[in-house]
Amino acid sequence: MHVRPVRTAIVSVILFLSGSSALLFQTLWLRLSGLAFGNSVWAAALILSSFMAGLALGSAIAASWTLQRWRPLRVYAGLELAVAVFGCPLVFGLPLLGEWMRPVFQALWNHQEFLNVLRFSMSFSILLIPTTALGLTLPVLLEDPLLTHQEFGRTIGILYGFNTLGAVAGALLGETYLIRTFGLLGTGLAAACLSCAAAGIAWLFSGAKPVTVGQSPKRFRLRLSLGDRPPWSLLFVSMGAGAILLGLEVIWFRFMRLYVASTSTAFCVMLAVVLVGIGLGSVASSVIPGRLAPPRKLLPILLLLAAIGTLLSYLFFPVPVLQGSTNAFHIESWRQIEWLSLALMFPVAFLSGILFPSILTCVQRDVGSRMNGAGLTILFNTTGAALGPLLAVFVLLPRLGFQSSFILCAASYAGLAILASEKPMWSIRRPLGIALLGLAALLILIIAIFPYNRDETHFANARRPYEADGSHLIKRIEGTADTLQLLRRDLFGEPYYYRLITNAYSMSGTLPRSQRYMRLFAYLPLALRPEAENALLICYGMGITADAFTRDTHLKHLDVVDISKEVFDLASSYSGLGYSNPLRDPRVTTFVQDGRFFLQACPESYDIITGEPPPLKVAGTVNLYTQQFFSLMHDRLKDGGIATFWLPIYQLTTDETKAILRAFHNVFPNASVWATCDLEWIMTGIKRPLHKPNDKSARALWNNAGTRSDLGRIGVEVPAQMSALFLMDGEEIDRITQDVEPLSDLYPKRLTDVHPDLEATHHFAYNYLERSAALRRFLSSSLIKEIWPNEWKKSLEDFFLLRETRYLSEIAGSNWLAELDLYLRHTQLRTPVLAVQNSDEFRLALAQKLATDSPSLPVEALPDLVAGALARRDLHGAIQLLERERDRDFANINNFFLLIYLYCLNGNVEKAEALAAAENGSIQKDWFVDWLWGDLQAEFGFCPPH
């Protein structure tokens, strides 16, 4: 009596294990295929298409195949073993495949069409057997003799639901534990073990009841005939439902990234919520009484509910409350991501979970054979699921945007409801007709009153934290991979800097502070290899590094690679003093390509390779920081070539920083690390043989007016300042990373989602920014002795002191006037004088332009003009400007103290005393005033007011 429910439970457990294994394998195959064949949008589409094609092939075989005398559970066990036997070696072999195929890729580099065909053919071929086996598993199990005596709709709901819930377990288990603990290879073995466990259980119970073979059922083939007519309308509904749901998944994820961090953990949680909805919906479909709601009549109702749910879940999306932090909408909390995902995705995913078993049940009634019906339905559903993401990525999002895509998906669900229904169903004389007309009317009403400007609210929320400085929106693009918003901050009516917001993250910018390290990616290797003829820039950003490269007149060619076409499209949107669009330079060639695959497939070798990838915790960026990636960089360098790469240690824990340094040093024994006065570090590696430029070529960048002025703007005014960028060499890297495992393709979770402890990061950084220790390491470095020009090694103490002082000032603040006095009286540099007065060369240029164009002295530009005068050591000019402000009353009390100091420094102590006495009543005494009076008295004989 209880054999059949027990059988269903056993098969459910088998499919749960199969779902976990399949999701783990799918994740691993797609990740590793991306490393072998590229991670660009087009490459990812090719790989996904090949994966779905294998599943569709398996479903097609199930649609036209008869088991005859084979026991279904034993056939299933063989299929699961095929997944394990062929799938696990793929995990081990794919990391090597890219290296083996590199000569072929390079030979076809100038024939991109053939290269793409090769990539698709290879990915399809290597995934063919395991994905085909996966496509066969569920249809084959449905042929189990004991299951055929149960109600099909109930059986398929339970089995499909448990299979999907198993996929949820696989996704979470892989992301949270397996990959972090055992790496990709260990996770592949775990997935194979799950498949083998499912196969073992299936084989164990396959003999529980012998198969009674009667007349073999007729094979069903995909052809239209008078005697055997496929249920085309239901099959196209299955295809459409698969396309819409998978397309919606892409659109949902894009929309969520306006609020949620683009990390692998966030994607895992969002995917899990969708799969949980589908799984629970499928299980729920098994308890719906067939007499109360026959599947054929239920289909149009479910489709209309899905259409309504698509719009309402978007309209009632619970927008998070903006906090004070600039990262308020860069949500990383599992619970917050889960809650937002449940509100947006779960309703439609749940309805889709009910929908698929209902469609399959209807098809099976028309076809007869359970396996054939399941195979046929899954074939069309998988085909739609393959097309849906492609349409969403390449058509809907870039052309319509996410909001209009939601509306179109809802309308498509409504269209499927019409296709799935029959004319009598819409009769108002029947309860079903009333329900359908009511739902249709509600959908039309929602579309009619839809707030079509709602998307502007979400775009504004994503950029709002970055508008606090007065920036405003210039341009917005919903591209194939990301949503980009370009902001501009004006100063004195002119563009001061730009910021590129990608989804909810400030991906790049032209802020003067940021330009320091971005331009050094180019100038540091150009200074050490002045004879460089060509260079490769990986990741364009906003073109700052490319702009620095194009200022070198000796450079003959620059290749720029970025995965986003939209980034290049925005290049003409930037303007400002001292900036020119580097893409207009005839020496520059752009490639829309994954930077890693470019290194693997492009046959060109370079004198310089540099890169500034997206933030390290963004999903996929880890592939640009592994030892294998650095090895690709090394291989594409000419002998003596130099690689520089971004290392933002404030985004990393100390252990993660060391893991990346270990990986880089393993590839480049001659590695070194450099930085200005911040935590934006630059890793540098040189491919042997080492070379030291002579004194004349070492000064080339400073002899050229264009590069000299550009270097001056970022604070490298004289060649010797390059020396004071030094942090550590390979010997020091080796010392601090002795017991550290390198970041590797096979262990990507060595880069975790843990938030860095900034206090620990600053402590680690200060060990290398402290002037005496840094200078000692520099002078004793064997690498420096081999590569560093002798002229750059003279009188370095003040430059290392300057970097330490600016670092401490930017991190913790300082006595600004004491710092200014240090720079004015002990150096001839401009940049630190400007910086301590909260100005820079970019601000100063805009202030001077405003002053030139204005008939009278512009008050708002006065602080920058004063800073400019002091940078020129024009004390008299600065005093005159401050005296003008004094006549109108000081807007800033610091200018009052500055004028007193300048009077003393310029030999006018009496004027300083008179000014101090006149304003004595309004001066609030504190530690700064006590220090200033005492210092001026000791230095210049100043008499403080009583």
Side-chain angles (χ1 to χ4, degrees), residues 234-371:
L234 291 172
L235 295 177
F236 283 118
V237 168
S238 178
M239 178 187 289
I244 296 172
L245 181 63
L246 269 292
L248 269 176
E249 186 176 317
V250 172
I251 300 166
W252 283 331
F253 286 14
R254 172 69 65 83
F255 170 72
M256 286 282 288
R257 290 169 70 193
L258 294 177
Y259 296 97
V260 170
S262 298
T263 62
S264 58
T265 300
F267 286 118
C268 176
V269 173
M270 291 189 285
L271 175 62
V273 168
V274 174
L275 294 176
V276 166
I278 296 172
L280 294 181
S282 184
V283 173
S285 72
S286 68
V287 300
I288 300 176
R291 294 179 181 178
L292 178 64
R296 194 71 171 88
K297 296 180 179 180
L298 188 62
L299 288 182
I301 292 179
L302 290 172
L303 289 163
L304 286 174
L305 287 174
I308 294 170
T310 299
L311 297 180
L312 291 183
S313 59
Y314 168 66
L315 289 176
F316 292 100
F317 178 75
V319 176
V321 178
L322 180 65
Q323 304 297 327
S325 170
T326 58
N327 289 327
F329 285 139
H330 192 64
I331 297 171
E332 297 176 317
S333 165
W334 276 60
R335 290 187 176 182
Q336 283 184 282
I337 298 171
E338 180 184 4
W339 162 242
L340 295 176
S341 301
L342 284 170
L344 180 67
M345 308 175 198
F346 185 82
V348 176
F350 183 81
L351 290 169
S352 297
I354 302 175
L355 182 64
F356 178 75
S358 302
I359 297 173
L360 207 162
T361 301
C362 296
V363 173
Q364 188 270 335
R365 288 177 180 174
D366 289 347
V367 171
S369 168
R370 291 190 170 203
M371 188 176 78

Side-chain angles (χ1 to χ4, degrees), residues 400-456:
L400 301 180
F402 68 80
Q403 180 171 279
S404 296
S405 296
F406 280 135
I407 297 171
L408 182 60
C409 287
S412 300
Y413 270 131
L416 291 181
I418 296 173
L419 181 62
S421 62
E422 298 170 346
K423 189 175 181 180
M425 292 182 183
W426 295 86
S427 173
I428 60 174
R429 296 178 181 179
R430 299 181 179 184
L432 176 62
I434 295 174
L436 287 175
L437 290 171
L439 290 173
L442 178 58
L443 177 62
I444 293 171
L445 177 63
I446 293 173
I447 293 176
I449 64 173
F450 192 90
Y452 288 92
N453 62 344
R454 177 62 62 87
D455 57 341
E456 294 295 336

Side-chain angles (χ1 to χ4, degrees), residues 652-699:
L652 303 165
T653 65
T654 302
D655 288 341
E656 291 169 343
T657 298
K658 291 179 179 180
I660 294 174
L661 288 172
R662 181 76 257 174
F664 192 79
H665 181 259
N666 284 351
V667 176
F668 292 98
N670 298 306
S672 55
V673 185
W674 308 76
T676 58
C677 54
D678 53 27
L679 303 180
E680 309 277 8
W681 289 10
I682 302 172
M683 298 184 295
T684 301
I686 305 176
K687 185 175 182 178
R688 287 190 175 274
L690 301 182
H691 168 73
K692 179 188 293 188
N694 58 50
D695 290 342
K696 180 180 179 181
S697 60
R699 292 195 58 86

Side-chain angles (χ1 to χ4, degrees), residues 724-745:
L725 302 175
F726 179 82
L727 294 174
M728 66 182 85
D729 62 7
E731 294 176 0
E732 178 65 12
I733 294 174
D734 190 53
R735 185 187 69 81
I736 65 175
T737 63
Q738 279 185 352
D739 300 322
V740 177
E741 293 295 330
L743 185 61
S744 162
D745 285 347

Side-chain angles (χ1 to χ4, degrees), residues 327 330 466 498-509 511 615:
N327 289 327
H330 192 64
Y466 306 103
Y498 293 83
R499 189 191 298 270
L500 182 61
I501 309 299
T502 302
N503 304 310
Y505 198 90
S506 178
M507 189 64 67
S508 186
L511 288 76

